[in-house]
Amino acid sequence: METLAQIRRKLEGAEDLKTVVRTMKAMAASNIGQYEQAGRALSDYYRTVALGIVAYFHEREELKRVNKKKHKVTCAIVFGSDQGLVGQFNNTLTDFVKLTLNKLEGEKIIWAIGDRIKTVLLDRGFTLRNLFHVPNSVDGITPLVSQILLRSEESIKINEVDQIYIFHNQPNNSGIGYTPVKQKLLPLDEDWKLNLSELKWPTKIPPQVAGGEKATLLALIHEFLFVSLYRASAESLASENASRLLAMQRAEKNIEELLENLNRKYHSIRQTMIDEELFDVISGFEALKKK
């Protein structure tokens, strides 16, 4: 049977753990705000850049349909987490990646963003070629995106890969939970152009390109690739912190239940000890009376 001292130590440990969980919950809630704000800002900018590309291709036919290869090397850039306590965040995304890539022909390689997602991907049998670390703040997203862009352009140029997809978790519109999504990043072929053509120019006035046309197109494409990766990273970080917040809420509830049980047990044992002491006093008093 546990003693009062042992239960008291457990209570103190549970209270300390509850403080840590509350701190992590507050940090996650704070981080969600900044990453969601960055994601919303990038969504507006993404549309602006896409409309710029639509304006350029108005009455132009520069891009040609790429010949289909029998054997393609597909690279999947997967945005996961470096840290734990995120529930099924990495597992859900990995299952989505596996389901999607199984439908594609050819070889598949992975560029993982995050040590935790790397472990899950390797367990699923994927081949890992590159590992990047998850940014700790909004300011860290730009350097990460620059690294990925440089590596992507090099891989396409030397024919190391034929196409690149982005996979990440995206916050739900309800603000609760997340959904795994994908986007084709490269190559920028006719299919990519057709997808962009779904955007309609917002006015009746035909768009015109000012300045050098080639330089304008290159600048727009660079911004399109940059904003696609930046938005994916921001949305992934917002989803990660939302998942951590939910995990911390569950942990806090479990700790509160544990504290309630420990307090009940503590008071029960204490009351039993008091009853025993009173019984001993009464028994002693009765014995003295008989004498």
Side-chain angles (χ1 to χ4, degrees):
M1 182 177 178
E2 290 181 304
T3 64
L4 284 179
Q6 290 174 326
I7 295 177
R8 191 180 295 112
R9 283 195 295 270
K10 287 185 177 181
L11 281 167
E12 291 172 354
E15 288 288 356
D16 291 340
L17 185 59
K18 185 178 180 180
T19 301
V20 173
V21 167
R22 281 183 171 175
T23 301
M24 293 184 67
K25 192 171 79 167
M27 291 177 61
S30 175
N31 288 335
I32 290 172
Q34 64 170 327
Y35 293 130
E36 284 185 340
Q37 183 178 0
R40 285 193 296 269
L42 263 294
S43 294
D44 295 337
Y45 186 54
Y46 177 89
R47 177 174 173 77
T48 300
V49 172
L51 283 172
I53 297 175
V54 169
Y56 179 89
F57 283 117
H58 184 68
E59 297 182 355
R60 291 179 176 84
E61 296 294 338
E62 279 82 352
L63 287 178
K64 303 299 181 184
R65 185 172 296 277
V66 177
N67 293 328
K68 302 295 182 181
K69 295 183 180 180
K70 291 184 178 179
H71 179 76
K72 280 188 175 182
V73 180
T74 300
C75 173
I77 302 175
V78 186
F79 287 83
S81 74
D82 268 335
Q83 301 174 358
L85 300 174
V86 290
Q88 295 299 308
F89 180 83
N90 293 308
N91 292 314
T92 301
L93 181 59
T94 301
D95 291 340
F96 176 71
V97 172
K98 187 172 183 178
L99 182 64
T100 303
L101 294 184
N102 282 344
K103 298 176 182 178
L104 301 178
E105 297 179 354
E107 183 184 356
K108 289 95 176 181
I109 60 175
I110 300 292
W111 296 0
I113 293 92
D115 283 321
R116 297 286 178 144
I117 192 80
K118 175 199 76 173
T119 303
V120 181
L121 288 164
L122 290 175
D123 289 342
R124 296 291 199 281
F126 285 109
T127 302
L128 188 71
R129 290 288 177 86
N130 284 295
L131 174 64
F132 303 90
H133 293 294
V134 177
N136 294 321
S137 65
V138 171
D139 293 336
I141 298 178
T142 298
L144 170 66
V145 171
S146 299
Q147 291 178 44
I148 297 174
L149 269 180
L150 181 62
R151 187 73 184 89
S152 301
E153 292 170 359
E154 289 175 351
S155 298
I156 291 289
K157 188 175 182 179
I158 64 176
N159 295 320
E160 184 180 57
V161 299
D162 300 301
Q163 54 186 0
I164 299 177
Y165 284 83
I166 305 172
F167 292 86
H168 69 283
N169 284 317
Q170 182 182 72
N172 293 333
N173 294 330
S174 61
I176 302 174
Y178 51 84
T179 303
V181 295
K182 75 177 189 303
Q183 176 188 345
K184 187 175 181 180
L185 185 68
L186 290 170
L188 305 180
D189 52 18
E190 183 68 20
D191 292 333
W192 169 76
K193 182 182 154 186
L194 287 174
N195 289 332
L196 279 181
S197 66
E198 295 177 1
L199 286 173
K200 302 300 181 182
W201 189 255
T203 67
K204 295 182 179 180
I205 302 174
Q208 294 182 345
V209 178
E213 293 187 354
K214 186 175 181 180
T216 299
L217 178 61
L218 290 175
L220 286 170
I221 289 176
H222 181 271
E223 288 303 302
F224 179 82
L225 297 176
F226 180 87
V227 75
S228 296
L229 287 165
Y230 192 107
R231 188 175 65 167
S233 181
E235 290 180 348
S236 176
L237 286 164
S239 300
E240 177 188 342
N241 281 275
S243 183
R244 183 171 291 112
L245 178 61
L246 289 173
M248 292 303 99
Q249 287 173 340
R250 288 192 295 268
E252 187 177 35
K253 182 180 178 182
N254 292 335
I255 293 171
E256 287 175 349
E257 291 176 356
L258 175 62
L259 283 169
E260 185 179 346
N261 292 332
L262 287 172
N263 276 310
R264 189 182 300 113
K265 192 173 183 180
Y266 178 86
H267 291 301
S268 175
I269 294 175
R270 189 166 181 272
Q271 186 62 49
T272 300
M273 292 177 64
I274 292 172
D275 291 343
E276 290 175 352
E277 290 173 358
L278 287 173
F279 180 76
D280 290 342
V281 171
I282 293 171
S283 298
F285 178 74
E286 292 294 334
L288 287 174
K289 278 182 65 177
K290 289 180 181 180
K291 289 182 180 180

